Structures are given as C-alpha cells and as structure tokens.
Amino acid sequence: METRTAHALIRFGLGRRGDEALPSDPVAWLTGQLDGPDPALALPGASSADGLVALRDDRDQRRNKAADGTPAPPMRVRNLLKAESIVLSNNLLTTETGFRERLVWFWANHFTVSVRRGECAAVVTSFIREAIRPHVTGRFSDMLLAVMNHPAMLMYLDNVGSIGPDSPAGQRSHRGLNENLARECLELHTVSPAAGYTQVDVTEFAKILTGWSIDTNLNPPGYVFRLNAHEPGKKHMLGRSFAHGRGGGLEALAFLGSHPATFRHLATKLVRHFVADDPPPASVARVEAVLRSTSGDLKAAALELVRLPEAWTPLSKLRSPSDFVISVLRAMDLPADKRPPDLGPVMAGLGQPRLAAPLPNGWPDTAADWAGSEAILRRVDWAFTVAGRGADLDPAGVAQAALGPLLHAATLTQIQRAGSRRDGLTLLFASPEFQRR
Amino acid sequence: MPHPSMRLSRRSALLGLTAAFTAGRYSLALAAAPTQKRFVVVILRGALDGLSAVVPYGDKSLATWRESLLPGQPGSEGGLLDLGGFYGLNPALSAFHTMYQANELLPVHAVAGPYRIRSHFEAQDYLEYGSDHAMSSGWMNRLAQQIPAQRGMTETALAVGSIVPLVMRGPAPVGSWLPKTALHPEPDLYARIAALNKADPVTGPAVAIGLKERGFTDLTLAGDADAGGNRYAFPALCAATGRLLAAADGPRLAALEIGGWDTHTQQKTRLVQPLRQLDEGMASLKSGMGEAWKDTVVLVMTEFGRTVRVNGTGGTDHGTGTVAFVLGGDVAGGRVQANWPGLSTGNLFENRDLQPTADLRAVTKGLLGPLFGLDVAALGRVFPDSEQASAVGGLLRRV
C-alpha cells in the first residue's frame, strides 16, 4: 500500500475494511465518491413523519397509562431508534464510500441535534437522511434550509414553541420568543461570532423564525409555518431587512447561508476536521475561496480538501472514539453475527454516544478533547474485549492491511511477539499510529 | 434431557460467575459427553518457560545458562519446592506442590507438540489441532465424538457462544462463556502498550497517567506478583468450572485459557503472577469439583518452551521443549515424567532450546485412553497420523 492510499483510506475515509481492494488512484477514488446521490439514501429507514407518529403513539400510550394504569411502557420511539441505529452501524462498517460518510457525519455534527433532548430521539436519524445526506454534495444554503425546516432541529433548539409576542397567538397566550435556535444558527451554524452580530440581531432573527414549527396532529405530521404565531412586520438583522411571513425566513437563511463569514467559519471547521487541529491558514483560505466563488458548493469544497497539499502530510489528528470503533471493526471485518449489531452502546462506552452530543456545538474536533487518560485506556480495554472475537485473524496481517506503510516497525515487532492473537490485535488497536487519522 | 432444576442450577452457577468475575484474560469452553469422567485442558497461551516452572536444579549446566533466573535451592527461604532431588517447582506453585505430595500432580518434562516452529499463533493452532498441519476441527472436539456412551447417559448440547477456542471447535456441540463486561488486559500487556505509546506526545502521557490513576505502579507493570486487580479472576473461573463439571448432568469436557506467559523481559518477576494464578486456579478447580475430582484428569499445556539462555532483557525468547502438567484424583503423580535430555551445549535443540524427548500427543493419548476407554483406533481419530506417538503408559493409577 502506498502512503497516499493509506491517507485516503484513513484521513478521508473510515479505515480499510479487512483486505478490501485498494484504489489504484487514491484521489480519483475519493472524488468519485462525491458523484451521484448518497448510496445510503437507498437503505431502509424511518421518515420524520414515521418518527413523529411513533412519538404521538407513545404520548397517547403514556396518557392512557395514567388514565387506566396500562402497565406497558411506551416503546415505539425506542424501537424505532434502535432499528435505525443498527442500519446506521451496519452502513458505517460496510460502506464503500467512506469519504462521503465522513462528510455526512461532519455535517450532522455541524448541525447537532441530540437525543439528550428526549423527544428528539424520534427524528434524529431521519434528520440525517432528510436534511443532511441529500445536500452533502449540494449547496450549503439548501442544507441550512433543510435543517431549519426539520422537526428535529425545530424541537431540539426550542423553536416549536417560539411565538411572536405581537402575533395573534402571542397576544392571546402572553407567551413570547425563544431565541435558542436563532442564536445557535448564527453562532454555530452560519456566520459565527466573528461576524460581530449583536443581541439585537439575535432577537430579530428569532422573530424572523417565529411560526417555524411542527404539527404532530397532521397526517402525516411534520413541519408547519404557523402564521398566527409569526411576529408581524419587517425585521432587521446584520444590516438587512427581511419581510413578514415565511418568506422573510427563507430570505434570512439564504443570506446567512451565503455570507462570507459563514464560508470562513465552514472552511475552518472542514480543514480542522480533515487536516489538522490547528487549521493551516493557507488551507482555510483555499477552501474558503472555493465556497465563495461557488456560492457554497459543498462538493467543490470537499474536492478542494482533497487537493490541499497539507492533506497529504503525515496524519496528526486523533481519531474520535466513534471513528476509532468504526476503524477497529472495519479492520477486523468480522462476520455480521460476530460484531456488535449496534455500535451506539460501544461508542457511548468510549465517551461519544451517537447522536447524543451534550450541547448544540456538537462533538469537539481536536486531540486535546479526546486524549484524556481514562478515555484512552477505555479504548485499550474495549480493543482488548473486541480482539477476543478475532480468534481467526492474523494480527500482523490485519495490521499491515489496515495501516500499510503507516504501521511502525516497533508495533509490528510487538504484534509478532504477542503471546496470543488477542494480545496482538490489542497491541495494534492500542498503538499510537492506529489512533491517528 | 436434563432435569429442569439442574439446568436452572447450572444457569445460576453461571450467573454467580458473572458476579464473581470482573477482569482477566481468560476464557472457558465446555462440551458435554455421555460419561461420568471429566477432562479439562488448560492452555497457557504465550509459551510457558518450562525450565522456570519445573526447574532441573540437579542439571549442572543449568546455572551456567541462567543463573539470574533461578530461585534459591530447595529448603532456602523462598527457594524451590523440591520434587525428589533433581527437579524443583517454582516457589509460586505451592498448591501444585501440595498436590504433588498427595500424588495428584504429574509434571511431564521436555515435552513438545509435533511441530517445530516458534510463532505463537501457528504453534497454538497446531497445539489445538493436535497435528502439525491445519485441520477442520480441534482435538477436544474430535474427542467429544469418540467418547462411547455409558448406560443411561445422553449427550446434552450447550449453547454455542461466539468465542470457542480452536481446540474445541468442530462438529460436536460446544458451549463457551466469557465475561462480557469490564475486561482488562493483564498488567504485562498494559506495560507493552505503554511502551509502544511512550514516545507519542498525545497518547504517551495519556496511557502513562491513566495507568497510574488506575493504581498501577511501575512495579506492577513490571509484573509484581501482588498487584493488579486480576489475581482472583482465574481462580474464580476455575472454581466455577469445577462446579459446572461436577454437576450430575453438567458438561464433561472443558478448555480453559490463561495468558501472560510470554516473558521476553524481566521474566523472574513477570512469571510470578501468572504462575500464582495457575496455582490457585488448579486448587480452586479441585475444590469446585468435590467428589468428582477422582473422575477428573486435567492437562495443562503450552505451545512451546523458551530459550535456555537468558536474553538481553532478563527474559527468554521462543523455544521448543517445555513442561506440561497432569493433575487429578486418579493421576499416578508424585514423580516427574521425563526422559531428561540434559542442558549441556551439545544437548540443546538447535543450540538454543530444551530438546524435546516426549510428544505431547503421546502423553495426551496416554490419558484419554484409560480415562474414557478409547482404543488405539479411537485415539487415532482424535490425533490422526500420530502412530509414531504411541500412548505413554502408566500416567493414571487405574487402567
């Protein structure tokens, strides 16, 4: 394996699966993954409407339970999430488009929604399928709109209950704005604090987004624009004015989604994710320039990442816990009945429960965040546990297939000297080079 | 079909095991057979240094090769436990010594499998195939198919688990059990992982600090006997194995594994903990078996021995001849079974290893034949192409 091939598989992908065929041209292999629709869109899965129906049924059951003492706990949302989680896990371990999958999870983390907000569990996976996957190689402003329209984000950041104080509903209920989504959209999703917005901008944006809500009683349930909860009148944000109604929200998102500060923010995060914890300014400038010149074409940005010379220097990023779990299991390439069907609990055990980030800013993306001593030892212990399933594997062969020229000679020696296959695999997965991507 | 209450009690035993068992690098696999006899194999993965476990202190050449590894003479403080004037047990094997004195322990020295390679993985495979080439099943599984049914005994299958050692794999149904939670490597493996990461600016400090936070000191990582959280794990597993095998409808064949033997560095200290685990484990197995101990034979074996010379880091490297142990209530023990090859330069295998003078298959056949009433043809089906290694006689008292 050539070093560039290893980098393509590890820096940009999810790690090599067993001894799968190596691409002859690493760059063509990466860029080819961005053509056409995401193959994972063809996988079975629940829609956001399915999720909201499950949520509604659970709520009904809980209500009935209170009324007539029915003992059964509501399980529909739980079962739905479990089934979805297995499909997602399986896809991560078997996909042949690892670069595309990495981009999906990058953007899903950029637009974090989390099951820590209980009811979001019903729609976090459909969020990825409906709001993220279709736009990973499309325009950022389209992804932004799909996100802000999606029940998962509207529920997670409380916009469902945000009511214009001067709207008919606000006048009637004496309830008002919830700024949560507006603030996080400015701070995390688009322009970032570098754009210099003020509290007034946040409040105005919150007014713009009033009425963006969901209705779980519709058939199918889903997004609705509630005109009677929308704050009347024109709004002003970042020196622009936006019309009354849903149209004002569309204008605001189009504006934010193509703002130069947004492109700078996105370019920095992309380079930090794929190149280095401290993003080289020259790399950021190149990706930023592509985003600006293409009005936020995310495919063009991804292609530029692959073209960066800094993206082919020695690997320095520390694999996140979920990345680690995926790459270990891909390297072992166990038959389906020998691997954990749902990677969620494994990732949770290593400190990164899937779709359960503690805060809207998502999972961190630097080594310092993941290199805690207990966190690293938990990787070691899990590696030792899972290595017990590799009784049929040749540890040195697995090491060479997974890391190629990145495997240190000292590690290979230790693996060859290990007293058992299990110890050999543990040494591979606990080696410093296996922690890198 | 076993009685339902027995099934329940067996499951209860397993549940109790889960509670008792919190850590370790061990596993257990079980198979049923239509007999009241029990046979247990203990695989020491990583290559036990036979010359340190059963020390031929009477061989004058020994001290010239490995003075730095030798315990004190028998009778001295912390010295060897004498086995009749030529051999001595490592002082960490005190329960073995008690069993030896009760004629229930038979060390078999200068033994090796039918292969001459020094790769752990390949050698372990051949050890478990019972052959010098790859086969479709392990010899314990073939044994399960050869044991003739006794009157009134029917075969009962246990659930097949995901981790079955090669020695038990094959057509006969096998169950396996491994603790699911809180598995930790042995201190020795942690130490190697720490060494691999030492120079890394990110993972190096993380691993070093993490191990300190978990109470590992530099001493424990170097293999100090009394440290680490695992010292009761293998004995607990062995005690549970004994209880399972002792049950009237319990399994009859068991394969246990224990690692930690690959002592390339600081062997003298690093060997103490695994030897104690093994020692306490076999004592626990015996007490767990109760009355069934008289119907039980245990074979402790490893893939190969280690170099006669000490290497540059106070350890030994992969070798050939080593020791095996036979234990049980009916074993013709209280002696060492060996055709001692000697340790002078001309006697070493390839000028580095203990020369093997016994074939492990011949020893095993010498146990299985009388224990289960297997004839030469049946033993040949357990160990195909082993005519050269005919069964060693006199290993058990009742024939």
Side-chain angles (χ1 to χ4, degrees):
Chain A
M1 193 192 306
E2 288 179 29
T3 303
R4 283 176 71 82
T5 310
H7 281 207
L9 286 161
I10 294 169
R11 183 194 293 276
F12 289 108
L14 294 167
R16 189 177 181 194
R17 182 183 177 200
D19 56 358
E20 68 179 339
L22 294 171
S24 54
D25 179 344
V27 170
W29 178 71
L30 291 171
T31 57
Q33 294 182 33
L34 306 181
D35 295 334
D38 186 335
L41 285 170
L43 295 171
S47 67
S48 52
D50 295 335
L52 292 174
V53 168
L55 184 61
R56 193 168 69 193
D57 289 354
D58 276 1
R59 278 179 183 161
D60 289 348
Q61 195 179 332
R62 214 170 276 127
R63 210 173 292 127
N64 293 341
K65 185 184 170 187
D68 63 17
T70 318
M75 297 288 282
R76 296 213 34 194
V77 169
R78 231 175 103 175
N79 292 342
L80 178 146
L81 184 61
K82 178 86 184 160
E84 293 271 293
S85 205
I86 289 171
V87 173
L88 286 172
S89 299
N90 199 47
N91 183 56
L92 284 162
L93 299 187
T94 58
T95 182
E96 293 174 359
T97 54
F99 180 33
R100 187 158 190 145
E101 201 63 20
R102 282 277 303 280
L103 288 165
V104 166
W105 290 93
F106 170 83
W107 289 113
N109 193 52
H110 178 75
F111 288 114
T112 288
V113 292
S114 171
V115 299
R116 296 210 185 192
R117 186 65 185 264
E119 297 194 325
C120 286
V123 283
V124 287
T125 52
S126 61
F127 174 78
I128 292 174
R129 185 177 302 105
E130 295 164 356
I132 303 295
R133 287 195 191 276
H135 304 292
V136 159
T137 53
R139 210 164 288 287
F140 177 73
S141 52
D142 292 338
M143 186 187 284
L144 178 64
L145 176 59
V147 163
M148 301 294 276
N149 263 335
H150 198 278
M153 187 59 85
L154 293 167
M155 289 160 72
Y156 178 55
L157 291 178
D158 304 311
N159 211 65
V160 168
S162 180
I163 294 170
D166 297 325
S167 69
Q171 291 291 306
R172 198 171 53 243
S173 66
H174 303 291
R175 285 163 60 198
L177 294 178
N178 185 315
E179 293 179 353
N180 203 3
L181 178 60
R183 180 181 302 282
E184 303 302 13
C185 182
L186 289 170
E187 180 179 336
L188 303 173
H189 303 159
T190 61
V191 293
S192 87
Y197 55 81
T198 64
Q199 176 58 43
V200 174
D201 292 313
V202 173
T203 307
E204 286 291 295
F205 188 28
K207 289 178 185 171
I208 292 169
L209 292 175
T210 49
W212 290 52
S213 185
I214 63 165
D215 189 341
T216 54
N217 294 318
L218 284 178
N219 278 310
Y223 172 84
V224 288
F225 178 69
R226 297 183 192 277
L227 186 60
N228 74 333
H230 183 67
E231 181 70 3
K234 276 195 169 184
K235 291 95 183 170
H236 304 273
M237 173 179 67
L238 290 167
R240 297 260 181 140
S241 66
F242 298 94
H244 170 81
R246 175 169 149 83
L250 298 177
E251 290 165 24
L253 292 176
F255 166 68
L256 292 170
S258 55
H259 196 285
T262 298
F263 292 149
R264 174 132 201 118
H265 178 51
L266 299 182
T268 306
K269 281 187 79 173
L270 279 166
V271 173
R272 177 177 296 127
H273 186 72
F274 285 100
V275 179
D277 287 358
D278 294 319
S283 298
V284 175
R286 278 180 58 169
V287 176
E288 181 188 357
V290 167
L291 285 167
R292 288 175 78 148
S293 68
T294 61
S295 306
D297 183 337
L298 298 182
K299 179 176 175 178
L303 293 173
E304 188 65 12
L305 285 170
V306 173
R307 280 193 287 265
L308 294 172
E310 293 85 354
W312 301 93
T313 54
L315 303 181
S316 68
K317 296 278 298 181
L318 193 78
R319 275 175 162 153
S320 69
S322 57
D323 219 21
F324 175 73
V325 168
I326 293 161
S327 52
V328 165
L329 289 169
R330 284 179 69 93
M332 291 179 78
D333 196 21
L334 298 166
D337 63 339
K338 278 198 172 184
R339 62 184 189 232
D342 180 4
L343 303 185
V346 178
M347 293 171 177
L350 298 190
Q352 195 181 17
R354 187 163 50 203
L355 294 168
L359 292 168
N361 56 350
W363 297 111
D365 204 3
T366 66
D369 298 301
W370 296 120
S373 53
E374 181 61 19
I376 295 290
L377 280 195
R378 276 201 247 165
R379 292 187 191 205
V380 173
D381 291 347
W382 177 75
F384 178 71
T385 305
V386 77
R389 298 172 187 241
D392 297 322
L393 300 175
D394 164 32
V398 172
Q400 282 156 331
L403 296 177
L406 308 183
L407 181 65
H408 297 173
T411 304
L412 182 59
T413 304
Q414 283 295 320
I415 291 170
Q416 285 165 335
R417 281 177 135 204
S420 68
R421 286 185 158 86
R422 179 181 209 164
D423 287 3
L425 289 169
T426 305
L427 285 160
L428 164 64
F429 301 141
S431 70
E433 60 269 38
F434 200 90
Q435 310 309 313
R436 294 306 194 293
R437 69 161 172 75
Chain B
M1 189 69 189
H3 192 272
S5 66
M6 284 311 296
R7 290 168 72 89
L8 194 65
S9 73
R10 210 159 65 200
R11 179 168 302 163
S12 312
L14 281 171
L15 289 174
L17 199 58
T18 314
F21 200 86
T22 54
R25 153 158 82 165
Y26 319 108
S27 78
L28 163 65
L30 302 158
T35 171
Q36 285 305 335
K37 301 293 182 184
R38 280 86 166 168
F39 185 68
V40 181
V41 153
V42 182
I43 300 175
L44 313 182
R45 289 198 192 279
L48 165 68
D49 180 42
L51 294 176
S52 286
V54 176
V55 182
Y57 70 89
D59 189 312
K60 289 190 178 62
S61 303
L62 181 69
T64 64
W65 300 125
R66 42 166 68 199
E67 179 136 39
S68 62
L69 294 185
L70 293 179
Q73 292 290 306
S76 66
E77 174 81 23
L80 290 166
L81 308 169
D82 194 33
L83 302 176
F86 184 82
Y87 302 98
L89 272 175
N90 187 293
L93 294 171
S94 57
F96 272 39
H97 195 235
T98 305
M99 284 194 257
Y100 178 90
Q101 289 169 326
N103 299 330
E104 293 182 348
L105 172 80
L106 175 65
V108 182
H109 223 318
V111 70
Y115 43 82
R116 292 289 176 269
I117 42 172
R118 296 190 182 93
S119 149
H120 287 300
F121 312 138
E122 288 176 68
Q124 287 172 22
D125 283 357
Y126 295 147
L127 179 76
E128 296 176 68
Y129 289 131
S131 171
D132 61 355
H133 58 269
M135 299 184 66
S136 60
S137 58
W139 64 262
M140 287 276 277
N141 197 285
R142 297 195 294 275
L143 169 64
Q145 300 167 63
Q146 293 304 320
I147 296 172
Q150 289 178 2
R151 187 191 304 266
M153 295 295 300
T154 51
E155 214 167 303
T156 57
L158 289 152
V160 175
S162 59
I163 305 163
V164 177
L166 184 55
V167 72
M168 288 281 253
R169 275 187 249 170
V174 172
S176 81
W177 182 82
L178 192 77
K180 284 206 172 88
T181 53
L183 274 176
H184 300 290
E186 291 286 293
D188 168 59
L189 184 57
Y190 274 138
R192 291 192 215 187
I193 289 165
L196 270 187
N197 283 278
K198 193 170 182 183
D200 189 281
V202 176
T203 61
V207 172
I209 293 166
L211 289 175
K212 280 217 170 67
E213 285 169 351
R214 284 190 181 177
F216 289 96
T217 63
D218 294 340
L219 198 61
T220 59
L221 288 174
D224 180 68
D226 291 322
N230 295 348
R231 52 184 302 205
Y232 302 111
F234 186 68
L237 181 62
C238 289
T241 305
R243 291 195 298 273
L244 289 168
L245 293 173
D249 69 336
R252 291 295 173 257
L253 305 178
L256 284 155
E257 307 181 353
I258 171 172
W261 308 100
D262 196 22
T263 46
H264 286 280
T265 60
Q266 299 171 49
Q267 171 169 306
K268 200 170 173 184
T269 45
R270 282 194 180 197
L271 254 187
V272 174
Q273 192 182 5
L275 282 174
R276 281 203 186 146
Q277 294 261 351
L278 177 65
D279 188 65
E280 291 173 26
M282 293 303 98
S284 302
L285 179 71
K286 178 184 169 177
S287 58
M289 302 280 320
E291 278 298 298
W293 180 244
K294 68 177 182 346
D295 291 320
T296 301
V297 172
V298 182
L299 171 64
V300 180
M301 63 185 196
T302 189
E303 67 262 34
F304 45 64
R306 311 191 68 87
T307 50
V308 173
R309 293 179 184 84
V310 182
N311 67 15
T313 52
T316 53
D317 297 320
H318 301 180
T320 307
T322 185
V323 76
F325 294 98
V326 179
L327 306 87
D330 208 20
V331 167
R335 64 196 175 91
V336 177
Q337 167 94 23
N339 174 14
W340 188 246
L343 292 174
S344 60
T345 312
N347 294 333
L348 301 186
F349 177 73
E350 295 183 356
N351 187 30
R352 53 176 273 157
D353 304 337
L354 176 62
Q355 175 78 48
T357 56
D359 188 318
L360 190 58
R361 294 172 302 172
V363 175
T364 312
K365 286 160 79 173
L367 299 171
L368 301 180
L371 182 68
F372 294 116
L374 302 184
D375 60 17
V376 171
L379 291 172
R381 286 190 284 274
V382 177
F383 292 103
D385 307 318
S386 66
E387 296 82 3
Q388 304 290 319
S390 54
V392 177
L395 300 179
L396 303 185
R397 270 197 287 270
R398 249 179 304 166
V399 178

